[in-house]
C-alpha cells in the first residue's frame, strides 16, 4: 500500500496462520495515521482484513493507494466543511475505514471485489476515482 499524502510505502505480512503480528499492526496503524495531525489510532483489524481480502480477489500485485485512513474529529470536520460527501460520524474517525484506488482497476471492479466479501460498507466515488471500505454494517452506495 502507498500513501497518497506522505509518499510512504507499506508492504508487509500482518498475520500468519491466523495469528496477527503485533509489530506489523503497529506499523499499519502508523501508516494509516491522520497525516494532517500525525495522530495515530489503532486500525480496526476487520477493515484491514476486508481490504486484504478484496485485494486478493482481484488477483493483482499492485498495492492500493491509500487516500484516507484514520481521521481525527477535527480533520473530519474540516473535510466535511468542504464536501457534503464526508459523513458527520465517519468511521474514519474510529480507524474503521479506508479510501483506496488502484491504477489497474476501475472503481467498479474494486468495489465489486469489496462487496463480494459481504463484510462492511463499500462506497463508490467514481468522480474522484476511489473506493471507500469500512467494517461497519453491510451497505453500499455511489455510482
Amino acid at each position: 500500500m502507498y500513501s497518497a499524502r506522505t509518499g510512504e510505502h507499506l508492504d508487509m505480512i500482518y498475520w500468519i496462520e491466523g495469528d496477527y503480528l503485533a509489530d506489523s499492526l503497529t506499523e499499519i496503524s502508523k501508516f494509516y495515521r491522520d497525516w494532517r495531525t500525525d495522530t495515530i489510532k489503532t486500525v480496526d483489524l476487520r477493515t484491514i482484513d476486508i481490504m486484504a481480502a478484496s485485494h486478493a480477489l482481484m488477483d493483482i500485485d499492485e498495492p492500493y493507494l491509500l487516500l484516507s485512513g484514520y481521521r481525527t474529529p477535527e480533520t473530519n470536520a474540516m473535510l466535511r466543511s468542504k464536501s457534503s460527501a464526508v459523513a458527520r460520524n465517519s468511521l474514519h474517525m474510529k480507524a474503521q475505514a479506508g479510501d483506496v484506488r488502484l491504477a489497474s482497476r476501475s472503481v467498479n471492479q474494486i468495489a465489486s471485489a469489496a462487496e463480494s466479501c459481504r463484510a462492511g460498507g463499500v462506497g463508490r466515488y467514481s468522480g474522484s476515482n476511489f473506493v471507500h471500505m469500512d467494517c461497519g454494517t453491510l451497505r453500499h452506495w455511489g455510482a
Side-chain angles (χ1 to χ4, degrees), residues 37-97:
T37 64
D38 217 30
T39 305
I40 298 170
K41 183 173 177 102
T42 302
V43 179
D44 191 308
L45 297 176
R46 298 172 298 170
T47 300
I48 300 304
D49 288 343
I50 292 165
M51 294 174 112
S54 301
H55 195 271
L57 287 170
M58 290 183 279
D59 193 29
I60 57 172
D61 292 326
E62 177 191 355
Y64 285 125
L65 178 64
L66 180 68
L67 303 174
S68 184
Y70 170 65
R71 295 181 197 149
T72 62
E74 295 78 16
T75 293
N76 200 71
M78 179 273 296
L79 293 172
R80 187 167 162 71
S81 74
K82 296 179 179 188
S83 172
S84 61
V86 177
R88 174 175 283 127
N89 295 313
S90 172
L91 291 177
H92 285 278
M93 294 188 296
K94 295 180 179 181
Q96 294 180 332

Side-chain angles (χ1 to χ4, degrees), residues 101-130:
R101 83 170 45 127
L102 292 166
S104 66
R105 297 293 186 268
S106 69
V107 165
N108 283 334
Q109 289 171 317
I110 300 165
S112 292
E115 287 171 348
S116 71
C117 294
R118 300 195 47 81
V122 179
R124 285 174 164 87
Y125 292 87
S126 297
S128 299
N129 190 29
F130 74 87

